[in-house]
């Protein structure tokens, strides 16, 4: 999800045609989208380790939530004024992240996917992920995860510093209705 301060918007050397805050960027096809129609297939919960943004923001690795390095960072953070910020002994930041792997569709009538996607949910995006997962898992006669069609759009948010940013909005693809958004069975 492109933000106001994304390099593809702010830096001439990294500018991407059609890039604007609130649009979705497919880094494989280099295509911009206004919305994303998505069939979730698999989810994964990881803790991602990063060199702090002020020091370059480089990806270090991914950890399972119960690994000793994560438990130690979580325990240490509980003794601070910012219990939601986890750090390794080296000073790297640990970020709670949920991944949703799935298929892209071009339209509601499409049966064949137009591509594949990995959608990470972290920070403020986790709430939308958990709400959507709860709705998919608590329907009567719960169907498999991959029987759902989700629609990703963007919304507007304001952070604690008063700066505007784009939020990831997740809804069921057909009028927000889980039952109507299920992929219909085929006779093939």
């Amino acid at each position: 999800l492109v933000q106001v301060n994304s390099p593809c918007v702010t830096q001439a050397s990294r500018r991407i045609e059609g890039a604007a805050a609130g649009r979705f960027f497919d880094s494989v096809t280099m295509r911009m989208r206004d919305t994303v129609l998505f069939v979730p297939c698999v989810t994964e919960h990881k803790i991602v380790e990063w060199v702090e943004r002020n020091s370059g923001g480089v990806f270090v690795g991914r950890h399972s939530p119960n690994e000793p390095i994560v438990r130690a960072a979580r325990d240490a953070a509980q003794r601070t004024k910012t219990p939601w910020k986890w750090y390794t002994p080296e000073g790297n930041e640990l970020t709670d992240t949920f991944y949703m792997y799935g298929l892209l569709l071009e339209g509601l009538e499409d049966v064949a996917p137009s591509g594949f996607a990995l959608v990470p949910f972290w920070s403020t995006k986790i709430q939308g992920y958990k709400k959507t997962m709860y709705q998919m898992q608590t329907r009567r006669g719960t169907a498999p995860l991959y029987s759902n069609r989700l629609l990703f759009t963007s919304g507007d948010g304001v952070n604690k510093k008063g700066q505007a940013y784009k939020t990831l909005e997740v809804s069921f693809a057909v009028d927000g209705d889980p039952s109507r958004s299920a992929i219909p069975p085929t006779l093939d």
Side-chain angles (χ1 to χ4, degrees), residues 169-187:
E169 306 291 328
V170 182
S171 63
F172 290 95
V174 181
D175 300 325
D177 182 338
S179 298
R180 293 181 56 214
S181 295
I183 294 176
T186 62
L187 299 175

Side-chain angles (χ1 to χ4, degrees), residues 123-144:
S123 187
T124 57
K125 297 171 186 74
I126 292 175
Q127 183 178 358
Y129 168 84
K130 288 186 173 183
K131 177 184 172 189
T132 303
M133 291 300 295
Y134 176 80
Q135 289 176 319
M136 285 190 289
Q137 294 169 348
T138 58
R139 283 194 320 232
R140 177 179 284 170
T142 301

Side-chain angles (χ1 to χ4, degrees), residues 45-49 63-79 83 85-89 94-96:
H45 182 199
K46 290 292 183 182
I47 308 300
V48 181
E49 183 175 348
H63 305 281
S64 295
N66 291 322
E67 283 185 33
I69 192 170
V70 174
R71 287 197 315 267
R74 192 177 310 140
D75 292 346
Q78 291 301 317
R79 297 185 293 273
K85 292 193 174 205
W86 307 340
Y87 295 94
T88 66
L94 296 174
T95 305
D96 200 13

Side-chain angles (χ1 to χ4, degrees), residues 1 4 27 42-43 52 57 64 100 106 163 168 184:
L1 177 60
V4 174
S27 61
V42 177
T43 61
E52 274 213 276
S64 295
M100 192 178 280
E106 292 300 317
Q163 299 165 324
L168 175 63

Side-chain angles (χ1 to χ4, degrees), residues 4-5 12 25 30-31 51 55 57 73 104 122 131 141 169-170 176 182:
V4 174
N5 61 350
F25 176 59
M30 303 298 284
R31 179 178 162 201
V51 171
S55 301
L104 296 172
W122 73 95
K131 177 184 172 189
E169 306 291 328
V170 182

